[in-house]
Amino acid sequence: MNTMLEIRKVSKLYSTYMVGIKEKLLGNKVYTNFLIHGTVTGRLSSRNPNMQNIPRDTTASVIKTMFIPPSGKLILQVDYSQAELRVMAAQANEPNMLNAFNAGYDIHLATACRNNDWDYDWALKKLESEDGTPEYTKVKTERKYAKTINFGIIYGQGPKKLAEALEITKEQAASRLTEYYQNNPKVAKFIKSQHRKVKKDGYVVSIFGRKRRLPDIWLIGDSNWGKRSEAERQSVNAPI
């Protein structure tokens, strides 16, 4: 099975970045198309080729070195720090999250501290020590759990998916989600309000006024749990 997965990965790299890029060359250069209408949520996308999805050095270093900027130019890779969580904090007006961001805290570590009643500075010092002690391991593990939950909330992750991601029982995952919502009550309120809105209107709206239409929830009501859950998930995720 591992050999098959490795072959699949290499085959995809070959077809996309060897054969695929060669077909798109103009001379010895490649040009992409950036689109503002390429996704349903309105985020910037890239096509022919997708320059937002070049493999990392850690996964395909040879592929990364194919892309060389012209003389005097740079290829710049940037990423907003925890952008989705910042938007959710603002949308929900959740003070715990807003205070953590305003203080310059690592939001995942701050979440772990609230869950475990830790002092943030103490936890940060333990994490940065990398001394291998049980306390360091505990802080590192809890931060990892918090990160998974923080981003999972945005994508509508329930107890089952969270349990798989954290390799814990479904009951433990449900307990952690309950704890998260208790510590961030306005996030829970925001999510419920989005679910109500999409059920009432069939769409949700971003802070810029962009509508994401989700008509399935009108048409099916409560008859199809899968489609209803997907519409509810998108009602939270799309505006963020």
Side-chain angles (χ1 to χ4, degrees), residues 161-178:
K161 290 291 185 182
L162 182 62
E164 293 172 359
L166 298 182
E167 298 181 340
I168 58 178
T169 67
K170 187 176 178 180
E171 290 72 24
Q172 289 172 321
S175 177
R176 284 188 172 271
L177 285 173
T178 298

Side-chain angles (χ1 to χ4, degrees), residues 98-128:
L98 292 172
N99 291 339
F101 281 126
N102 288 332
Y105 288 171
D106 172 346
I107 189 65
H108 307 310
L109 184 59
T111 300
C113 288
R114 283 198 302 277
N115 293 343
N116 293 276
D117 197 26
W118 291 335
D119 175 74
Y120 180 86
D121 291 332
W122 173 86
L124 181 62
K125 187 176 180 180
K126 285 293 176 185
L127 191 65
E128 291 178 340

Side-chain angles (χ1 to χ4, degrees), residues 76-103:
L76 180 65
Q77 177 177 300
V78 294
D79 187 18
Y80 289 106
S81 174
Q82 300 153 348
E84 298 94 339
L85 292 174
R86 293 175 189 272
V87 174
M88 184 173 73
Q91 291 272 67
N93 196 28
E94 174 51 59
N96 283 329
M97 296 181 73
L98 292 172
N99 291 339
F101 281 126
N102 288 332

Side-chain angles (χ1 to χ4, degrees), residues 180-214:
Y180 182 92
Y181 288 128
Q182 287 174 343
N183 289 335
N184 300 281
K186 289 200 172 182
V187 171
K189 185 178 179 181
F190 166 71
I191 291 172
K192 288 178 181 177
S193 71
Q194 290 298 105
H195 291 177
R196 287 195 298 269
K197 178 168 179 57
V198 74
K199 195 168 186 178
K200 174 177 175 289
D201 300 329
Y203 65 85
V204 290
V205 184
S206 75
I207 56 175
F208 297 110
R210 185 185 183 94
K211 288 184 179 180
R212 175 71 193 277
R213 300 184 185 279
L214 297 157

Side-chain angles (χ1 to χ4, degrees), residues 141-156:
T141 300
E142 287 296 318
R143 184 193 178 276
K144 176 186 174 183
Y145 283 5
K147 181 177 181 179
T148 302
I149 295 169
N150 273 331
F151 283 117
I153 293 295
I154 298 173
Y155 294 101

Side-chain angles (χ1 to χ4, degrees), residues 213-227:
R213 300 184 185 279
L214 297 157
D216 274 355
I217 204 158
W218 267 352
L219 301 174
I220 62 175
D222 292 334
S223 62
N224 188 312
W225 179 87
K227 286 189 175 182

